[in-house]
Amino acid sequence: TDAFMHAVETNAKWELINPRDEGEGPTETVSARDLWNEIATSAWQTGDPGVVFINRVWETAPNPQMGRIETSNPCGEEFLEDHGNCCLGSINLDKHIVLTNKSDNEHGSAMDFDWKLLEETIRTSVRFLDDVIEVNKFPLTSLREVNLATRRIGLGVMGWADALVRLNIPYDSDDALKLADKLGGFINRTAWDESGKLAEERGPFPEYQNSALHKKGMPPVRNSSVITIAPTGTISR
């Protein structure tokens, strides 16, 4: 929470409360800064714990009218409404690298993203994921009702490291960060644009008029979310 991060910044004390014993008072009081340093060190050493800045989740929720979001899906990439769900798909970036006519040195031709092909893939993927909502099978009626009301989809990526190898760009370089910004912005803008085109053809998601997207002035879109960077280890073959 923002309150915890403020306590870290001011080196204040922080009360630890067991959620199963809510109302019974703190189990312990610790230094917020020491706790934060322990979290950061553990995450660096082992990858755990994952950290969620929950106030950012609440501020950016597309459907606050459906209740405050409490948690994410099991992998942590989607913060969903109660009974919410989202069909995911990932674009293999490595498949969108092509040889260009430009040369980055005297020894050979340069590689670059085929931006036109990538745009076609993004637009096709948005339509595919939206179609999945229609044919998907749900174990509970409430899951289908919420999914149809919000029409969340999550288009992500894989093959980023492989693409950088082809481009001869070090993973931890400033050039990689700049390209990631350019690529991420391109995917995000294109995906939302295609969702807008779908809304013109098929109508916006049913909760659009009540959503934060509408209140913030976004034109009608078919989906209340379009981008998600999800783990792709099991689908990357």
Side-chain angles (χ1 to χ4, degrees), residues 21-75:
D21 302 326
E22 191 173 357
E24 296 185 14
T27 60
E28 189 178 354
T29 301
V30 299
S31 162
R33 186 170 295 177
D34 287 348
L35 178 57
W36 177 247
N37 288 336
E38 187 173 348
I39 289 171
T41 300
S42 180
W44 171 69
Q45 290 178 331
T46 69
D48 282 306
V51 176
V52 174
F53 296 97
I54 195 66
N55 287 87
R56 303 292 81 73
V57 173
W58 295 332
E59 289 171 4
T60 58
N63 299 296
Q65 74 281 3
M66 299 181 72
R68 175 172 277 193
I69 290 175
E70 297 184 36
T71 188
S72 71
N73 69 339
C75 290

Side-chain angles (χ1 to χ4, degrees), residues 138-173:
F138 297 87
L140 298 174
T141 302
S142 59
L143 299 180
R144 178 166 182 79
E145 290 174 347
V146 172
N147 198 208
L148 288 174
T150 61
R151 303 196 70 87
R152 281 180 175 268
I153 62 172
L155 184 60
V157 297
M158 65 172 73
W160 172 239
D162 292 331
L164 290 178
V165 169
R166 287 185 186 271
L167 296 170
N168 197 29
I169 298 176
Y171 192 94
D172 60 348
S173 66

Side-chain angles (χ1 to χ4, degrees), residues 160 164 169-185:
W160 172 239
L164 290 178
I169 298 176
Y171 192 94
D172 60 348
S173 66
D174 288 340
D175 286 342
L177 290 174
K178 291 177 183 177
L179 181 58
D181 282 342
K182 179 181 179 181
L183 185 69

